[in-house]
């Protein structure tokens, strides 16, 4: 993605205005929004992954609509291949699990709220996390929950074309991403292409890809995540033919 933010376009414009006046006093000070504006306004074409991204960049930075190209994210053909070899003879630490992957130490991934939800919902809902943590306070809080729950499992980051990664996607009962936003989340696309149901954040343009194929969170705290899991348990997500994902 080029750019996405949970802030409204009007809030970004306000930040840009404040930054303009601050630079009159401190000439070297520039915000990330200043750099983003200069990049998108100076670009011949802006390639965006979602319609929300196009709307936000256009409204916040004044990029005219004719300068955009809507270029959907794609996945490697390996995730559409026959899966006969992905049998149950594997080294995954649990079965019938929910799966999440990615930069688990990044607060944008909302890993802490996800872990709080699975700690509360209990041992009949195993969670497998694939990805790395760092030494931050946020990561340490996450790891403390993992170490205190027998039904939450963690594997380090792995190659996305590895046999174990493919197995983890294929045998998950549901892929869940509770991020603050995604555009739209590559691992979720890969899971969906393999026929695995998805629970996802509604923010960042995920509806462009998963409308009718996923349960969308109504909020991003642990209580809303639990509600989405219960919705999945009740069978409210109709399974789809992976070949329909385009």
């Amino acid at each position: 993605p080029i750019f996405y933010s949970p802030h409204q376009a009007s809030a970004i414009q306000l930040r840009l205005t404040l930054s303009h006046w601050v630079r009159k006093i401190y000439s070297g000070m520039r915000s990330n929004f200043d750099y983003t504006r200069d990049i998108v306004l100076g670009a011949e074409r802006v390639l965006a992954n979602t319609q929300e991204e196009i709307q936000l960049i256009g409204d916040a930075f004044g990029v005219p609509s004719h300068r955009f190209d809507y270029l959907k994210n794609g996945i490697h053909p390996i995730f559409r291949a026959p899966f006969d070899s992905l049998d149950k003879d594997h080294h995954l630490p649990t079965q019938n699990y929910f799966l999440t992957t990615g930069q688990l130490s990044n607060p944008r991934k909302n890993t802490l709220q996800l872990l709080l939800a699975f700690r509360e919902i209990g041992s009949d809902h195993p969670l497998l996390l694939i990805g790395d943590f760092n030494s931050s306070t946020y990561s340490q809080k996450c790891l403390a929950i993992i170490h205190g729950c027998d039904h939450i499992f963690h594997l380090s980051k792995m190659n996305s074309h590895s046999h174990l990664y493919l197995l983890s996607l294929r045998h998950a009962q549901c892929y869940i991403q509770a991020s603050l936003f995604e555009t739209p989340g590559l691992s979720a696309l890969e899971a969906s292409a393999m026929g695995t149901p998805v629970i996802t954040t509604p923010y960042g343009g995920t509806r462009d890809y998963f409308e009718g194929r996923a349960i969308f969170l109504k909020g991003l705290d642990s209580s809303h995540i639990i509600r989405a899991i219960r919705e999945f348990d009740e069978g409210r997500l109709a399974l789809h033919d992976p070949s329909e994902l385009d």
Side-chain angles (χ1 to χ4, degrees), residues 75 79-81 83 170 189-196 213 239-246:
I75 57 173
F79 297 99
R80 296 182 182 273
F83 307 119
R170 178 60 170 166
L189 282 177
E190 294 164 350
S192 188
M194 298 181 81
T196 300
R213 301 189 181 98
L239 296 179
H240 67 276
D241 181 347
S243 65
E244 296 174 356
L245 187 67
D246 53 22

Side-chain angles (χ1 to χ4, degrees), residues 16 19 23 29-39:
L16 288 169
S19 178
R23 284 200 305 277
M29 294 190 66
R30 292 173 60 83
S31 69
N32 288 337
F33 291 142
D34 288 308
Y35 291 114
T36 301
R37 180 196 55 197
D38 292 348
I39 290 170

Side-chain angles (χ1 to χ4, degrees), residues 165-180:
Y165 180 76
L166 294 173
L167 281 170
S168 72
L169 292 180
R170 178 60 170 166
H171 292 305
Q173 66 167 311
C174 182
Y175 186 93
I176 183 167
Q177 57 180 13
S179 313
L180 303 186

Side-chain angles (χ1 to χ4, degrees), residues 27-207:
S27 59
M29 294 190 66
R30 292 173 60 83
S31 69
N32 288 337
F33 291 142
D34 288 308
Y35 291 114
T36 301
R37 180 196 55 197
D38 292 348
I39 290 170
V40 296
L41 289 178
E44 183 175 339
R45 307 293 299 175
V46 179
L47 309 181
N49 301 139
T50 72
Q51 293 293 346
E52 278 191 40
E53 194 178 14
I54 290 173
Q55 187 71 45
L56 183 62
I57 294 172
D59 292 346
F61 303 116
V63 179
S65 58
H66 68 268
R67 297 261 302 281
F68 287 99
D69 286 316
Y70 180 32
L71 185 64
K72 272 194 166 185
N73 272 331
I75 57 173
H76 193 280
I78 193 173
F79 297 99
R80 296 182 182 273
F83 307 119
D84 296 342
S85 63
L86 300 181
D87 55 35
K88 290 287 186 178
D89 182 19
H90 55 67
H91 299 288
L92 294 171
T94 186
Q95 296 183 2
N96 300 318
Y97 53 89
F98 289 73
L99 174 68
T100 193
T101 65
Q103 298 175 353
L104 303 176
S105 61
N106 188 337
R108 182 179 71 80
K109 291 296 186 179
N110 206 25
T111 308
L112 183 57
Q113 289 299 316
L114 183 68
L115 288 168
L116 290 170
F118 276 88
R119 182 174 69 178
E120 180 176 343
I121 205 168
S123 59
D124 57 338
H125 289 79
L127 173 66
L128 174 61
L129 304 97
I130 298 177
D132 291 336
F133 291 99
N134 57 26
S135 60
S136 67
T137 300
Y138 185 87
S139 285
Q140 298 313 305
K141 289 180 179 179
C142 292
L143 288 169
I145 296 175
I146 294 172
H147 295 155
C149 295
D150 292 338
H151 65 290
I152 299 179
F153 304 88
H154 173 228
L155 296 175
S156 297
K157 180 181 178 181
M158 60 186 69
N159 188 296
S160 62
H161 294 174
S162 69
H163 190 68
L164 187 58
Y165 180 76
L166 294 173
L167 281 170
S168 72
L169 292 180
R170 178 60 170 166
H171 292 305
Q173 66 167 311
C174 182
Y175 186 93
I176 183 167
Q177 57 180 13
S179 313
L180 303 186
F181 61 87
E182 291 285 355
T183 59
L186 189 57
S187 293
L189 282 177
E190 294 164 350
S192 188
M194 298 181 81
T196 300
V198 171
I199 297 173
T200 184
T201 177
Y203 306 114
T206 52
R207 293 187 186 277

